[in-house]
Each structure stands twice: as structure tokens, then as C-alpha cells.
Amino acid sequence: MKFFLITLLFFAYSTVNAAKISTLYEKTTPIGNGMSMTVQLKESDGPIVIPTHTHPSPATAYLISGDVVVDFDGDIREFNEDDVWIEPALLPHSGSSSKAIKYFVVYHHPSDQPYRN
């Protein structure tokens, strides 16, 4: 019985906290000298936890709505609506929000190496 209750509580918690990020728009454009940029518009459908990850190329992010806390490999920063930040290439980072967020991000990368999420 105890196992059943713990499983039920875990399932209820994960269902409520299972917000996800959707990509609303994505386009890659050559910008010259063998480089391209990939532009994405993304949003979450509720509070979100973004696990630790890296990007193979640098990114510039603009927060359209919401708030987010980003941990840049131990350097924790808070961003609010209309804030802009840089995500350096290969730097481990994670994030979380207390409500739904919407943001725009631009990745610069070699044209022969398409951006990968």
C-alpha cells in the first residue's frame, strides 16, 4: 500500500510539473565567411526545469516574457522579461522558471555544421 501511494504521488507530481518547451519558429541563414545563424522562437507551457547541457556554438538569448534563473557552471544569474544574455559555446548550463516563458535565441555556427539542439 505504501509503495502504491508513493507511486501515485510521484505520478501526480510529474504530471503537474511536466511542462515542456516548444519551438514555434526556426530558420537557418548563411551569414558569410562559412558561417550561418540559426534563429529560434521558443516557449514553455508552464514552469520549466532545463537540465544541464551545452551548445556547440555560442548563443544570444532574449527573454520575451517570464523570468528564468540560469546556472552557468556555478555562476547563477536571474533574467527577467526583456533581458538578453550570452550562452558561451561548450559551457555547461541549466535553468528554471517559476512560470511559462517565451524567448528568442540566435546560434552562430559554421555553415557545414548545422546547429544541433
Side-chain angles (χ1 to χ4, degrees), residues 5-6 26 73 87:
L5 288 175
I6 290 171
E26 180 172 346
D73 199 25
E87 296 177 350

Side-chain angles (χ1 to χ4, degrees), residues 97-109:
S97 70
S98 61
K99 57 186 173 186
I101 60 173
K102 188 171 192 176
Y103 62 100
F104 182 81
V105 63
V106 179
Y107 301 94
H108 291 90
H109 53 88

Side-chain angles (χ1 to χ4, degrees), residues 48-101:
I48 194 83
V49 173
I50 302 166
T52 302
H53 64 283
T54 62
H55 302 285
S57 56
T60 303
Y62 168 67
L63 190 60
I64 297 168
S65 63
D67 57 70
V68 66
V69 175
V70 181
D71 181 345
F72 294 100
D73 199 25
D75 180 12
I76 299 171
R77 298 184 191 168
E78 294 181 34
F79 299 102
N80 300 300
E81 189 171 309
D82 290 330
D83 283 345
V84 175
W85 66 91
I86 303 294
E87 296 177 350
L90 306 176
L91 181 72
H93 58 285
S94 60
S96 63
S97 70
S98 61
K99 57 186 173 186
I101 60 173

